[in-house]
């Protein structure tokens, strides 16, 4: 089992940047595909970004392409979400998730594919 702890959220003005981190426990981090999701008040959780086990493959939702980047450091058991040009509509609780069954280059895009979830970190973008 793996435990995930997100950090880096906060309040930022529109156009600003934040970098979210997700630290994972355990010694098998490199065997998990990782993803970021978000949930805004009154809305369903939505996929944001995912990265394959080794980091060779990534996928971003259309709403964040060109503004967000996902990366990972397997030596540090950490996955990152770099967010730039933030918009008020990016306001949400951001969750990281781990998929233990993903094959090497797979980037899971649905919540049902993930096995472990963090507690979330709030991102608020003011206009």
């Amino acid at each position: 089992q793996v435990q995930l702890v997100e950090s880096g959220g906060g309040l930022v003005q529109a156009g600003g940047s934040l970098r979210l981190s997700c630290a994972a426990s355990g010694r098998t981090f490199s065997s998990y595909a990782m993803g970021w999701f978000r949930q805004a008040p009154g809305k369903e959780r939505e996929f944001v970004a995912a990265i394959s086990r080794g980091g060779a493959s990534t996928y971003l939702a259309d709403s964040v392409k060109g503004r967000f980047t996902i990366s990972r450091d397997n030596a540090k058991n950490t996955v990152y979400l770099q967010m730039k040009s933030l918009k008020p509509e990016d306001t949400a609780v951001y969750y990281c998730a781990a998929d233990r069954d993903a094959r090497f280059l797979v980037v899971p895009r649905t919540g049902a594919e993930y096995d472990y979830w963090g507690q979330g970190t709030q991102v608020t973008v003011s206009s």
Side-chain angles (χ1 to χ4, degrees), residues 56-127:
S57 298
T58 62
Y59 188 82
L60 295 124
D62 288 343
S63 59
V64 305
K65 278 181 182 175
R67 301 187 298 122
F68 291 12
T69 303
I70 186 170
S71 62
R72 67 190 296 162
D73 185 339
N74 285 346
K76 295 183 178 180
N77 281 15
T78 302
V79 62
Y80 304 97
L81 185 68
Q82 178 68 53
M83 306 186 294
K84 299 180 180 179
S85 302
L86 282 161
K87 305 174 181 179
E89 50 263 45
D90 294 318
T91 295
V93 177
Y94 283 71
Y95 300 90
C96 73
D99 177 357
R100 67 188 174 193
D101 298 319
R103 288 181 287 179
F104 190 63
L105 293 176
V106 171
V107 282
R109 307 173 193 180
T110 65
E113 298 177 87
Y114 288 86
D115 303 287
Y116 305 107
W117 294 82
Q119 294 298 308
T121 185
Q122 176 71 46
V123 171
T124 303
V125 184
S126 63
S127 57

Side-chain angles (χ1 to χ4, degrees), residues 8-29:
L11 173 64
V12 64
Q13 289 187 333
S17 299
L18 282 174
R19 187 177 79 158
L20 305 183
S21 299
C22 173
S25 64
R27 291 180 285 181
T28 58
F29 178 73

